[in-house]
Amino acid sequence: MAKAKAPEEPIDLESLHEAIATIFDQVQTSLANHKKNCVALYKLHLRAAAVLTQTQKKNGTVSTKYTGERAFAESFLDMLNRILGMKKGPPAADRIVKFVGSYVQYSNEKVMQEQEKAGSSEEEDTETTTSRFVARIIGWLLQGFQAKNKNARFRCLHIVSELISHVGDLEDDTYGLLREGLIERLNDKETLIRAHAAAALSKLVGSEDPDELEEGEQSVLDILLEVLASDPAAEVRRASLLNVPLTPATLDTILKRTRDVDTTTRKIMYTAVLPKLGHPRHLSLVQREQVIKDGLGDREPGVRVAAGKLLTKWFDVILAEQDERTQDGSLAGWEGDDAGIMKGLIRFLALFDVIGSGEAIAVDTLISIFVTRPDIPEAFVFPEQYWQHLTPESAVLARVFVEYCIKNGNEARLEAAALPVVTAFAFIFQEAYNHLLNVLQKIEAAKLVAAGLDEYEDEDALEEELAKKEVILGELLRMALKLDYMDEIGRRKVFTVVKEMLAHPQLPPSLIERCVDVLKEIMPSERDLIRVVVEIIVELRENEELEDVDNILGDLDDQDPDQSSATEPISRGGRSARKPRDRDAMSSEERREADITDIRCLMLCTAVLERVNGSFEDNSTLEGILADLIVPSVKRKELAMREKALVSLGLCCLIAKNMALRSFQLFMGQIENAPPELKVQVLKVTLDLLIMYDQEFFKKSEAIATQITNFLVQTLQNEEIPAAQAVLCTGICKLVLAGIINDPNVLVTLALLYISPGTADNQELRQCLSYFFPVYSYASAANQCRVQSMYLLAYDQAKEMHDDLEDGQQMISPYDFGLMLVDWTDPAKAVQIAQIEHSPDEPVAHAELAIQILSALYDEDRSDSDKKAFCQTLNQLHIPAELDSKSIHKLDLLVSYLSDQCPLNNTANEKLFARFKSRVASQFAKQLKEKELDPAAYAEEEDVLKVYECIAVDPPKGGVKAVRPPPSSPAKPDGEGEGDEVEGEQEPASRGTERTSTRSRASTSGETASAVTATTEALGEEEGDKEEDEEEKDEEEKDEEPTPQPEERPSTPQKKKGTKRVHTPGTGRGEERKRTRRGTATRRTSKVVEAEDDEAEADQDDSDRARSPTPKKKATKAKPPPKPRAKSTRASAAPRTTAAAAAGKRKRKQQQEESDEEKENAAVSAATGVEEEGDLSGIESD
């Protein structure tokens, strides 16, 4: 029998404190001696607990006091009290905290061992020495939760987070106080305190009973999830992330941290959190794809590496599983010597939706595994049976392997993998296509059996089978692009199959582009590709058999390499590329089938045009498709057909300049009138044309360029569709970034859209602008000067926008907006300045911005808040020491006279301004004290005179003393140069025009659109006798002066003879030219309106229009807007109440709509240059 353990001898309480201090002195030096000291301290604790004091009460009972336990606890807490004032960092304090947690854990383990030896039940609620000691420590630490000293609060939370996992059972009162204290510390202002509170609170999740919560009270788990999602400190979010349990209720919130703004938090997700799941199937399909997409697409390389390692762990888990699909036959058809790796990868791909949208994620996953484990691709071998049992996963695996080897130049690996040759691959291709046709036939048969019903038998199963066959065939098509077509037999076979696929009327639309890619790879030239596709389109529309394939390939091989078969007639055997089709004679079912065929042909046409680089004139075969298919489809009312036709027409315009100039009016009109489903595509086409033909639209005529720019800006402001707004914003940014548009007002509009509360939900737009402004500003010093020139105008409009915020709307303050502009205009960040030494004569953006802000401080109408923002901004500017003398002189004038001419009258503002003033005085003290600046030398310069006028001081006697320039003196045309000149040009616009915002009037966009569509017609007509026309216009401008005209649409020309004052490209920018463009060219009198019906004046206008880049009224009346007419018809018919009147009203409305439709179709024909009868003579060559 084992001897019973003798009770510990009592210790002398006077020596207890010294013994405990010795132990604490040892544990703060190293972590290695903690276990030994835990044993020693526990023995001291038991010996101290043996010291008891018994007292007899008055009633005769004897009470026992734990004198030794109290002395031990007081000495222990005295040791802890010495580290409470220490902040985070000293390792000795951290070791003591760890020792406290280790000792509490050791004490509870010893108590449990003793209870097991004694045979007592765990459910017995008995007090022990350890439980009393732990309760005493926790009660003492809870007092520190409310301490004023942040270090004391931090250490108390730190100790609690260490020992809370080992405290055992607590009394209900103690548990409640601890829970409330930790929840309260989650709102502490110190980040470390909140982090330790979250870590400690997470240990209480498992011990909380939801039934004991009061109604409306949050559980600990809900509180931690809220901290995880919304705490501003990354350290607090990480502490909660690492301690929150992974359950189905918490997964959604935890997985959102894969998109956390903190890099370390995102990395921890893949290194510490997700590996806890073990098997990837614990996540749903959507969750798996989102996790992999976020990890492999992260901008930080460390996160991408962590995500790749997680994928390899998941693959090892899948590879270790038994191949369950081997028994059911899905993978049992082939065996390889790859040690099961290929089958493991196929099972791994089954974790993702390869058939649907998850294909791209599955491909990225495979590539990541290939990169992380380079030994895996070395094991690939493709037996013949592999291709006979293709699945979507195995097809994707083969395609990714081939592309990976070709990308890395590992041709030897491809040969070792035993891939089939081109001829064998062609038969594999043919077999996959036959399987697809079989499924299509099954679907058609099922539909015939279930005629008249919405659903047919096994609909879901057949649709899924069709999707699988479509994926397999698509992957084979993508592999076909990587094959070597030196094998002529294989090339002919692949060509035959692909052409047969394109000619099939039920080919899935997703395979059309891939088939065209294969044809482009096979065909020797673009002309031959276009000819083959045109014949396929003709065959689809006429439903005739394709001509013999061998003859086609023979012609391609035997023809002269310098001569293409595209120059031959479009059809053979008398077939025409145009097929007359009378829709009125068709039944509804026939019309439906014809429309489906036309849509398929348009998709095929679009796929070909996207891959053509030659001009339209070099590919004359396209003329038949344009006249017979594209133009008639543009006139159709069905949105699906119009959308694809407009895209095809736009692609034609990209390779045909004259067609683009004629069709531009059509696209501009579609932007105004198109439904939301069509507007995005029309905007893309229009912006592509503007970028492609920037010389024709923006360089030849300044008036046309201005009207196009205004139309784009106003459309952007008035657009309410987020997708269309993002597309238009992206296009404008490209035009500005390429230097095609240099108008500072465009930059103002883009900057205000960037901060507008109306675009808060349009992340695509904001992401575009967040990239655009830094790239544009830092590209050159000239761009920074353009951004600087818009500061005051943009600030004023941002302030108005901020003042007009509605409930629930948020945006940054005007001051913060100004700081963004300051950062964009920082000279140190400009590329040209960072690489070479700055030229003294070149303007410095921040110096010009300082002059602009100082001038604004002289405005007495400015509020104190504006002046405070300006003074704060001045102190954020980086003005270089090598500034030119004139800029120093202007800064000195504005700084010196501000206190006398326009005092700030605000103590805070005066202090801020005094700081900037002293900085300028000290930085340029040498130039100012040594009299290097001669004020008289700059007295005659215009920008310096503006400064003198701003400060209300006469210039030096050497300058022009009595002359003052007008407020709207002209600036440089391109917006560059000195900042004051740009400011002077923009100042009237900031006071006389409306604020740029998304709530602008929609009518302005319509007027500008009409102006643009009318003026672009003149692009093709002003190529002739330009010099003679300019001389005639100059003589007419000298003879007649413009008369005041009432306000009218910008596109409405002046009918009065001899007053055509339009801008001639190349002339100087003067007040007369500006006045003429605003007054004469855009206004007309009521007499002019009455004279429009006069034939004599109309003839004169036609001759004038031939000489002027601004079109006359006849051009704008080619397509009258239908809306006003419809409104006037309704207004005139309103008083009629009889049935006959209503019938007449409907008849007139129908006639009006038919008339409008005929005019619109005429506009389409005129724009494309194709008549209704199919005459292609209207298409001019470049």
Side-chain angles (χ1 to χ4, degrees), residues 442-460:
K442 291 180 181 179
I443 294 177
E444 289 296 325
K447 289 182 178 180
L448 291 176
V449 172
L453 300 178
D454 296 336
E455 299 180 359
Y456 51 87
E457 186 179 0
D458 298 333
E459 178 180 3
D460 295 337

Side-chain angles (χ1 to χ4, degrees), residues 601-636:
C601 293
L602 287 172
M603 295 173 63
L604 184 56
C605 183
T606 301
V608 174
L609 290 172
E610 287 176 347
R611 290 156 179 80
V612 171
N613 297 320
S615 64
F616 190 88
E617 288 71 20
D618 293 338
N619 300 285
S620 57
T621 317
L622 294 172
E623 295 177 355
I625 298 299
L626 176 68
D628 188 37
L629 177 63
I630 298 178
V631 173
S633 299
V634 172
K635 302 176 183 179
R636 298 288 297 276

Side-chain angles (χ1 to χ4, degrees), residues 333-334 383-391 428 431 435:
W334 59 275
E384 184 178 354
Q385 294 81 9
Y386 182 92
W387 306 102
Q388 297 175 0
H389 301 85
L390 282 175
T391 63
I428 296 173
E431 184 179 359
H435 290 329

